[in-house]
Amino acid sequence: MSEVGALLHRQLHYVCGKGGVGKSVVACALARAMVRRGERVLLAQVSAPDTHGALLGVGPVGPEVREAEPGLFVVDIDPHAAMKEYALLTLKFEALYRTVFENRLTRAFLRFVPSMNELTMQGKIWWHASEGHFPRIVVDCPSTGHGIKLLRTAQIIADAAPVGPLAEKTRKMAELVRDPTRTALHVVTLPEELPVNETQELVDEVKRTGVAPLGIAFVNQVLTTLFDDDTRASLAAVRARAGGDPALADLLEVAARRVEREDLERVQRARAHALAMPTLELPYLLRPRLGRADIERLANVILEAA
Amino acid sequence: MIEVLEQPVDDDGRRALREQVSTRRVIVVTGSGGVGKTTSAAALGLFGARLGRRTLVITIDPARRLANALGLTALSHVPQRIDGAISAVDGQPVQGDLFAMMLDIKAAWDDMLRRTAPDQQTAEKILANRFYGTLSRDLPGAHEFIACECLHHLTSSGDWDLVVLDTPPTSNALDFLEAPARILAVLDNEAFRYFAQRKQSLGLRFLDASLVQGAAGRAQSVLARFTGAEVLEELGDFIVLLRDLYEPLTRRTRALQEMLRGESTRFLVVTSPAAPSLAEARLLIAELKERGLPLGALVVNRVTPTAGRAVALLADARWQDHLKNAGLSPAEVARLATVLAEAVRQQEQVAQVEKTNVEELLERHTRGVPMVRIPRLADAVHDAARLIELLPWLGLLPQTDV
């Protein structure tokens, strides 16, 4: 089995990356690839505007877990709902929950307990993972910085509060997230300089903090290579001998742009491949808004690599 | 309508942006991550300086992109003069002064504390508290809070004609404006006052459940089951220490909020022509409106030009005749022709997709807001020469009155 295939066998998949790199698209494609392998998958977004519904063509995604189609469950984890659920689990009684958590004093207080929102969302993911309903969970993380913070929250709290019930729970969460047999942190990038720089920084931070085992580096929106050495030589000949032809001006401009772009992408793709984790390139789909058919196409690419 | 982007035209969008750069005191550059926000901020700073204004560009981005864009290797927490380096590139005098700085979050927090705490001793106690680290580093909004605090500090110093702020790349880019109010609300809330009062007047462990009466007491003791008693205890100490900071911080926050809503400030929304980025830009615009913050202009960055006349050329059945004088074999001509046709098709398609995206997802909803389009330059902008290339696209055109 390929490295990619082995990684898909883990239970908990975090998909991280800067805004605009196609994180949600990759999370959806990953979830669909797993469903097509016969797995029961929970695809979670974290308190974000609903993008999964449109990408998968399955209708709106809300705070309740919903089986959108056979094997594929979707949810938007909302911090307040998650907090309430967690509190109810711990306290057992709705009345007690109301006394404590609907209390203005407590609410104001909880806001200040650092990163409580991230913690409850992470706690909810942990709950889904340990409760065993879903052999596969794909989490579409918030954009980087924040995304990694979501993962680190458990550890931060465990460090800040070394004793007490919260500490114990957070330590367990941190353990699951760090477990190389159960968790993979995938990164999504574009074949452009800044996104690759930022991905490099993200990967370095993940390695340094050991917050989670690294999974796949997805290089999204890769252009097809059109100009090989031969066509480049031909192009150079045309430019040298017929470059003055006014009819060709815009065409040569388009070609020059494309060649330059392909060169830049090649450099950045090479850098992404050097990230010391399995790399998977996804094609640039020249479409205004991606939908189900596009997700299936990307899922195919993932399945072929597995 | 996006035409072949060969030369920038002095349209309404560029005229509006030029007016803003030449008259406003604060320009806040917002947008989602990865759209060229930092580069735009740097270019606008240079724009301001070229108009003769004493300009400061502030970035909070630790990726050192602003430094790179300005042709430097690093920026520091102290405003650094950079007009010399820029002028050396195209030989044109900058006229005004251009400075840039990168906000060091930790240093800025420490500075703010020392500036604001009633005495040195309190400041040092806060600095040593474990929750201070959490507050200044990890609490959502902490970076944004200090960015606002810094913006206020710098704009009220009277040292600058124009301050350009490159906002942090958060998922919700306007969070930074709410951060001060949110953090201050924490300091002012009932829980804080309650704990502060108890700690001070009685010197009690505030979690001593037998002494805490009523619903608040029950809430606390249950809360302790969640977080552990020690956590609340140390947090209590922290709260007491922070109490004296509340009033001066509130005053400054209010002043800043007023300035940001006033005539001296304009917000720019930067976006790429990709659908998710445009959707975020729209959310951002709606939020600005909701908060009464003045939107100056939209900047659509990295627009792919259309393939121009190449499309018409390829429609001609005999277009390959133009390649015949290059001394290539018929097979080579055929292969090159195929590749060229595909390159044109793809560029045209991308250009059309982007055009549709910009029209449907942004323009249709923002009638009357000046919009400036900047073509995708060959490479990511990371030196002063590239930055200068951007200026005409932002509206600094030769032979224009400013």
Side-chain angles (χ1 to χ4, degrees):
Chain A
M1 198 190 334
S2 73
E3 273 183 295
V4 169
L7 282 162
L8 296 187
H9 276 103
R10 297 197 189 159
Q11 184 189 11
L12 187 52
H13 299 262
Y14 289 97
V15 182
C16 294
K18 274 272 153 113
V21 296
K23 210 159 20 75
S24 297
V25 170
V26 171
C28 286
L30 198 58
R32 277 294 304 153
M34 290 169 181
V35 170
R36 282 163 58 185
R37 279 158 59 116
E39 314 282 7
R40 194 180 152 89
V41 181
L42 175 65
L43 171 63
Q45 55 175 45
V46 179
S47 187
D50 179 9
T51 48
H52 294 176
L55 285 170
L56 292 163
V58 297
V61 175
E64 299 294 324
V65 174
R66 175 170 78 87
E67 185 164 16
E69 58 189 48
L72 180 59
F73 295 75
V74 290
V75 68
D76 176 44
I77 297 177
D78 170 66
H80 302 295
M83 165 78 84
K84 181 167 181 182
E85 236 173 288
Y86 170 60
L88 282 174
L89 274 175
T90 314
L91 299 177
K92 311 284 191 241
F93 301 109
E94 177 88 30
L96 189 53
Y97 168 82
R98 272 201 301 275
T99 314
V100 177
F101 284 86
E102 305 285 302
N103 183 311
R104 279 168 63 201
L105 191 78
T106 315
R107 287 221 311 240
F109 193 86
L110 279 178
R111 262 201 313 196
F112 193 72
V113 172
S115 312
M116 206 58 184
N117 279 356
E118 278 96 343
L119 185 71
T120 48
M121 292 193 285
Q122 180 67 325
K124 190 67 204 263
I125 293 163
W126 175 76
W127 180 78
H128 280 303
S130 49
E131 168 245 21
H133 264 334
F134 299 105
R136 301 287 180 270
I137 298 174
V138 178
V139 184
D140 183 359
C141 290
S143 301
T144 307
H146 214 69
I148 203 76
K149 192 171 227 163
L150 176 75
L151 293 167
R152 280 184 53 213
T153 308
Q155 192 60 54
I156 289 171
I157 306 260
D159 292 347
V163 285
L166 190 67
E168 196 159 317
K169 209 139 250 164
T170 51
R171 236 190 314 278
K172 279 190 193 155
M173 285 184 213
E175 268 166 32
L176 168 67
V177 174
R178 271 199 309 265
D179 187 342
T181 65
R182 295 182 69 190
T183 301
L185 189 160
H186 308 294
V187 297
V188 184
T189 191
L190 297 175
E192 291 173 31
E193 184 176 353
L194 294 179
V196 175
N197 289 353
E198 277 153 2
T199 305
Q200 178 75 63
E201 282 162 22
L202 171 64
V203 168
D204 289 347
E205 193 187 338
V206 171
K207 280 193 190 150
R208 187 171 49 76
T209 56
V211 63
L214 286 168
I216 304 164
F218 290 94
V219 187
N220 196 20
Q221 300 182 8
V222 174
L223 283 176
T224 326
T225 302
L226 293 177
F227 288 91
D228 60 11
D229 288 347
D230 292 345
T231 39
R232 280 167 189 243
S234 302
L235 184 64
V238 170
R239 197 169 282 127
R241 296 193 198 150
D245 183 348
L248 289 180
D250 282 10
L251 181 63
L252 291 178
E253 177 67 33
V254 169
R257 239 189 134 75
R258 177 71 183 215
V259 167
E260 197 170 2
R261 185 88 189 273
E262 286 182 13
D263 285 344
L264 290 170
E265 283 205 0
R266 185 169 323 111
V267 174
Q268 301 310 328
R269 281 158 61 199
R271 290 181 61 211
H273 281 273
L275 281 173
M277 57 201 284
T279 308
L280 195 54
E281 294 189 351
L282 300 174
Y284 189 6
L285 306 171
L286 310 169
R287 317 228 304 140
R289 262 168 300 260
L290 302 188
R292 178 61 179 235
D294 305 295
I295 296 298
E296 293 306 303
R297 216 179 126 189
L298 298 177
N300 285 341
V301 177
I302 296 172
L303 288 172
E304 277 160 26
Chain B
M1 179 76 185
I2 302 164
E3 298 295 344
V4 181
L5 293 156
E6 284 165 344
Q7 290 302 320
V9 180
D10 195 29
D11 55 13
D12 288 348
R14 296 202 172 88
R15 272 193 293 274
L17 194 52
R18 187 164 63 238
E19 185 271 333
Q20 288 164 25
V21 175
S22 52
T23 59
R24 312 292 160 171
R25 285 189 51 220
V26 179
I27 290 181
V28 183
V29 184
T30 65
S32 53
V35 296
K37 198 167 36 179
T38 299
T39 306
S40 303
L44 288 163
L46 178 56
F47 193 168
R50 288 244 151 131
L51 295 175
R53 310 189 80 195
R54 188 172 162 84
T55 305
L56 172 67
V57 186
I58 310 171
T59 188
I60 305 152
D61 179 11
R64 312 199 183 283
R65 278 186 287 199
L66 180 62
N68 291 344
L70 294 166
L72 302 172
T73 49
L75 284 173
S76 69
H77 187 55
V78 180
Q80 197 176 335
R81 191 184 194 109
I82 44 180
D83 36 21
I86 300 272
S87 289
V89 175
D90 65 351
Q92 289 204 38
V94 165
Q95 311 220 345
D97 305 302
L98 182 59
F99 285 74
M101 63 177 278
M102 185 175 76
L103 198 61
D104 174 336
I105 302 291
K106 175 86 174 79
W109 266 96
D110 294 358
D111 282 357
M112 183 278 283
L113 265 180
R114 298 208 166 90
R115 233 177 16 237
T116 315
D119 53 69
Q120 173 101 18
Q121 201 194 1
T122 309
E124 295 310 320
K125 269 192 192 160
I126 295 174
L127 289 169
N129 189 292
R130 190 165 47 175
F131 276 94
Y132 172 67
T134 310
L135 174 75
S136 59
R137 229 182 18 243
D138 299 321
L139 187 73
H143 292 205
E144 293 83 352
F145 175 81
I146 204 65
C148 282
E149 185 41 45
C150 235
L151 186 62
H152 175 263
H153 185 60
L154 289 159
T155 48
S156 54
S157 69
D159 287 344
W160 310 103
D161 296 329
L162 172 65
V163 175
V164 180
L165 177 71
D166 169 32
T167 58
T170 51
S171 52
N172 184 346
L174 285 183
D175 260 2
F176 89 100
L177 292 173
E178 262 190 5
R182 211 167 49 217
I183 289 188
L184 288 170
V186 168
L187 296 183
D188 189 36
N189 74 40
E190 283 175 81
F192 268 60
R193 270 176 289 158
Y194 174 79
F195 289 145
Q197 207 181 350
R198 287 193 67 82
K199 288 286 281 193
Q200 209 164 43
S201 62
L202 302 170
L204 291 171
R205 291 175 61 85
F206 61 79
L207 283 169
D208 195 336
S210 64
L211 291 168
V212 181
Q213 307 297 314
R218 278 202 302 281
Q220 269 178 45
S221 66
V222 179
L223 202 56
R225 275 164 55 192
F226 268 63
T227 63
E230 292 78 357
V231 178
L232 292 192
E233 191 66 30
E234 190 165 351
L235 188 50
D237 291 337
F238 187 51
I239 290 162
V240 175
L241 289 169
L242 286 185
R243 208 186 28 175
D244 290 337
L245 271 59
Y246 177 74
E247 208 209 315
L249 287 180
T250 309
R251 214 169 35 236
R252 295 213 286 264
T253 298
R254 219 163 274 146
L256 177 72
Q257 298 284 351
E258 247 165 61
M259 185 196 70
L260 291 177
R261 286 189 171 83
E263 275 307 298
S264 54
T265 302
R266 283 296 176 268
F267 285 76
L268 299 190
V269 173
V270 184
T271 177
S272 84
S277 163
L278 290 164
E280 280 192 49
R282 242 176 86 196
L283 285 178
L284 210 52
I285 292 162
E287 275 183 62
L288 285 170
K289 194 170 175 187
E290 201 177 297
R291 293 172 202 203
L293 299 167
L295 172 62
L298 307 172
V299 177
V300 186
N301 225 339
R302 303 199 193 132
V303 176
T304 303
T306 69
R309 284 173 299 139
V311 178
L313 176 70
L314 296 190
D316 178 356
R318 296 179 57 81
W319 78 270
Q320 294 184 22
D321 290 354
H322 291 280
L323 304 177
K324 291 213 168 114
N325 298 329
L328 301 173
S329 74
E332 284 170 331
V333 168
R335 280 205 54 210
L336 179 62
T338 309
V339 166
L340 287 172
E342 184 58 17
V344 168
R345 190 190 70 80
Q346 289 192 10
Q347 181 172 328
E348 190 65 16
Q349 196 171 344
V350 173
Q352 292 306 329
V353 163
E354 290 179 358
K355 177 169 171 274
T356 310
N357 280 344
V358 173
E359 281 171 4
E360 284 184 8
L361 299 178
L362 193 59
E363 226 173 348
R364 180 176 296 175
H365 311 274
T366 55
R367 300 252 182 260
V369 181
M371 183 186 284
V372 168
R373 291 182 179 84
I374 301 174
R376 181 192 273 271
L377 297 179
D379 198 352
V381 174
H382 49 50
D383 60 38
R386 295 283 191 174
L387 211 56
I388 291 166
E389 263 183 67
L390 282 177
L391 291 180
W393 296 101
L394 289 169
L396 185 65
L397 293 152
Q399 295 117 29
T400 48
D401 292 329
V402 287

